[in-house]
Amino acid sequence: MPVQIPDDTDFTSFKEQCENHEGWLVRYNKGGVTVWCRAEESNTAQKLKMRIMCKDVHPETLYDVLHDTSYRRKWDTNMIDTYDIGRLTVNADVGYYSWKCPSPLKNRDFVTMRSWLPLGNDYLIINYSVKHPQHPPKKDFVRAVSLLTGYLIQSNGTRSSALYYLTQVDPRGSLPKWVVNRVSQFVAPKAMKKIYKASQKYPEWKSKHNPHLKPWMYPEQNTLPCISVADLTLQRADSLENIDESSLSEEKTQHSDDDDTETRD
C-alpha cells in the first residue's frame, strides 16, 4: 500500500474527530481530564480520545514539548527508546518509538510517519504506521500498528490551552479485558497529566538546552537525512505477528498519580 503524506483535508478531519463527541462514551472524567472511547470499536483496535485542560500553559509550549525528543527522554517514563529516522518534507518525518506495556504484557514498538501543521490558532500533530526497509520488527518487541494517532492543541484563553489526544492502535495481540479498562481508567489520564506537568517545566528547561533549536518550527535547522516516500509502505496489521495475551492476569503494581512526575535536569 502506498504511503501518502497528510494534506489539509486530513488535518481538518482529525480536528473534527477530536471536537465531535457524538458516538463516544465517557470512560473517565476527573481533575480536568476526560477520556472517551468509541462504543462500536472492537477491543483489538479500540479508538480512544482524551482531553486535558492546561490552565497555565501556552499552546505553543505544548506544541514544542510534543516535538522535542530530547525533552521527552526526561518526562516520558513509559518510553523505552525513540529516534528520528529521516525527513520527508518540511513538516513530515519518520521515526521510531518503543514503550513499556503494563506487566506482564510484552513491550510494543512503532515505526510511524508523523506530520504536523499549525492551523489558525490550533496546532496539530498526527501519525500512522509505516514500514521502512531498514527498521524491521525487533526480536524483543511486538510491532504494533498506529492506524491514526495525534494531538490537537487549542488556545483556551490567555495562557491556557486544551490538549486533545486521539489514538487508534492495533496492539497485535488478543488483550485481556483488564488491559482495556486499565488504559482508559489509569494509564491514559496519568499520561495526559504527565504531559501537562512536563509542559509547565519546559520553558525553564529549554532555556538551558539549545533554546533556539526548534527544527519543527524552523525547517532550516533540520539535519535529518532526507528519505523518499517511495521507500515506505503502509504497515498492514495482518503482516505482523499476532500474539494471544488474553489469559494473562494483572500483576500487583502500585498506581500513584504522583509517580514519575519529576522532570530531571
Side-chain angles (χ1 to χ4, degrees):
M1 293 286 290
V3 169
Q4 293 185 326
I5 297 173
D7 57 20
D8 287 358
T9 303
D10 297 307
F11 284 104
T12 300
S13 172
F14 179 82
K15 179 183 175 182
E16 289 173 352
Q17 289 187 64
C18 290
E19 294 177 324
N20 185 354
H21 306 315
E22 185 176 348
W24 294 83
L25 298 176
V26 175
R27 295 294 303 274
Y28 179 98
N29 188 14
K30 188 168 64 175
V33 181
T34 308
V35 180
W36 297 265
C37 69
R38 290 290 291 188
E40 76 277 8
E41 298 295 343
S42 69
N43 286 346
T44 56
Q46 189 178 51
K47 188 180 285 188
L48 285 176
K49 177 168 64 174
M50 304 151 225
R51 181 187 65 201
I52 186 168
M53 310 309 292
C54 304
K55 295 180 180 178
D56 52 356
V57 176
H58 288 293
E60 296 88 346
T61 301
L62 280 165
Y63 189 58
D64 289 347
V65 167
L66 295 170
H67 273 287
D68 198 326
T69 303
S70 297
Y71 188 59
R72 190 172 199 115
R73 299 182 189 279
K74 307 295 181 183
W75 64 265
D76 188 354
T77 53
N78 290 323
M79 183 183 75
I80 298 172
D81 190 19
T82 187
Y83 53 83
D84 297 322
I85 295 171
R87 57 175 163 161
L88 294 162
T89 67
V90 293
N91 70 322
D93 62 17
V94 177
Y96 173 87
Y97 179 86
S98 57
W99 63 289
K100 303 172 192 170
C101 284
S103 221
L105 304 179
K106 286 189 174 182
N107 295 326
R108 262 63 176 178
D109 69 355
F110 301 85
V111 171
T112 60
M113 189 198 71
R114 182 183 61 158
S115 188
W116 56 93
L117 184 71
L119 196 64
N121 293 323
D122 302 330
Y123 296 87
L124 296 100
I125 305 171
I126 59 178
N127 75 59
Y128 63 85
S129 285
V130 295
K131 285 201 289 189
H132 188 284
Q134 296 176 7
H135 299 271
K138 298 184 178 184
K139 179 179 63 174
D140 299 329
F141 293 90
V142 176
R143 179 61 53 89
V145 178
S146 168
L147 301 172
L148 175 65
T149 297
Y151 297 92
L152 166 65
I153 306 164
Q154 295 184 311
S155 175
N156 196 32
T158 306
R159 277 188 58 83
S160 183
S161 309
L163 172 65
Y164 288 87
Y165 175 65
L166 187 149
T167 181
Q168 186 174 22
V169 168
D170 187 334
R172 300 314 298 147
S174 301
L175 300 177
K177 183 68 175 176
W178 64 262
V179 171
V180 179
N181 291 335
R182 185 165 157 192
V183 166
S184 61
Q185 297 294 318
F186 174 75
V187 177
K190 184 177 179 181
M192 296 299 279
K193 292 173 186 175
K194 195 175 289 187
I195 294 173
Y196 181 18
K197 290 181 179 180
S199 298
Q200 291 173 311
K201 299 176 181 181
Y202 182 72
E204 181 181 359
W205 181 90
K206 186 62 175 174
S207 69
K208 303 172 185 175
H209 299 82
N210 296 315
H212 303 296
L213 182 63
K214 296 184 179 182
W216 53 93
M217 297 282 288
Y218 310 112
E220 66 274 9
Q221 296 178 346
N222 196 323
T223 58
L224 288 175
C226 291
I227 57 177
S228 170
V229 70
D231 296 331
L232 308 171
T233 53
L234 193 64
Q235 178 67 75
R236 298 289 296 269
D238 54 15
S239 70
L240 293 167
E241 175 190 16
N242 192 46
I243 61 173
D244 187 355
E245 298 176 299
S246 59
S247 62
L248 294 176
S249 59
E250 184 173 11
E251 291 187 352
K252 299 284 187 184
T253 54
Q254 290 187 342
H255 305 332
S256 170
D257 284 344
D258 296 327
D259 289 348
D260 306 323
T261 55
E262 288 302 315
T263 303
R264 302 182 301 276
D265 288 334

